[in-house]
Amino acid sequence: MVRSTVRMEENRALGATYAVVERGKMGVLLLLKDRECGIFDCNDTDLGGFRYLLLKHYDTPSRAYEDFLKLVGKMCKKGEDSKYFGNRLPEDNRMVRTAEGEHGITQEERVEFEERFAAFREFAARERGAILKALEG
């Protein structure tokens, strides 16, 4: 049996909530900012990069926060060979979640969400290293 370790923090100065879930030697960073939530590989050495394992756009901040908490729990249950921890898939796993449900992002939605996506990408690339360091100790 492999245990999951979770470290989570709400950072009001950044306006973000984040968590690290570790399974063995592997870990994922879950980052929630406004109405976007991304999951990233903690061991990705390209700290300035923006390679997400999952990225979700939400219609409301409360739905985003609720789903963020669910995702933290789901990551705790994922196996070491899942696409989040060990068996990476070369896919653009980007979703949209509303009251009606969730679905893979469409081309039209890519245009609609571009400004929000760009702001989240910039935030994550800029703050990822500091967030990981803050959660270490």
Side-chain angles (χ1 to χ4, degrees), residues 77-131:
K77 298 294 284 177
K78 295 286 183 187
E80 288 185 41
D81 62 343
S82 76
K83 67 181 180 180
Y84 295 100
F85 290 102
N87 222 0
R88 298 284 157 63
L89 300 175
E91 63 181 354
D92 185 5
N93 197 10
R94 197 164 151 200
M95 311 286 291
V96 174
R97 174 131 191 237
T98 65
E100 291 79 40
E102 73 179 33
H103 60 272
I105 194 166
T106 65
Q107 281 303 111
E108 295 81 21
E109 289 169 328
R110 286 179 183 275
V111 173
E112 177 185 342
F113 290 113
E114 181 53 38
E115 190 174 314
R116 286 172 45 184
F117 178 67
F120 183 74
R121 181 177 57 230
E122 180 182 312
F123 173 80
R126 182 182 67 242
E127 299 294 339
R128 182 177 179 271
I131 288 169

Side-chain angles (χ1 to χ4, degrees), residues 41-105:
D41 179 355
C42 286
N43 299 320
D44 188 348
T45 57
D46 183 15
L47 293 179
F50 185 72
R51 288 186 297 239
Y52 54 84
L53 303 171
L54 173 67
L55 185 105
K56 288 188 174 187
H57 301 282
Y58 299 90
D59 55 349
T60 66
S62 61
R63 193 172 329 280
Y65 185 70
E66 179 183 303
D67 200 49
F68 168 80
L69 295 175
K70 286 180 183 176
L71 288 169
V72 170
K74 285 183 177 182
M75 292 302 112
C76 289
K77 298 294 284 177
K78 295 286 183 187
E80 288 185 41
D81 62 343
S82 76
K83 67 181 180 180
Y84 295 100
F85 290 102
N87 222 0
R88 298 284 157 63
L89 300 175
E91 63 181 354
D92 185 5
N93 197 10
R94 197 164 151 200
M95 311 286 291
V96 174
R97 174 131 191 237
T98 65
E100 291 79 40
E102 73 179 33
H103 60 272
I105 194 166

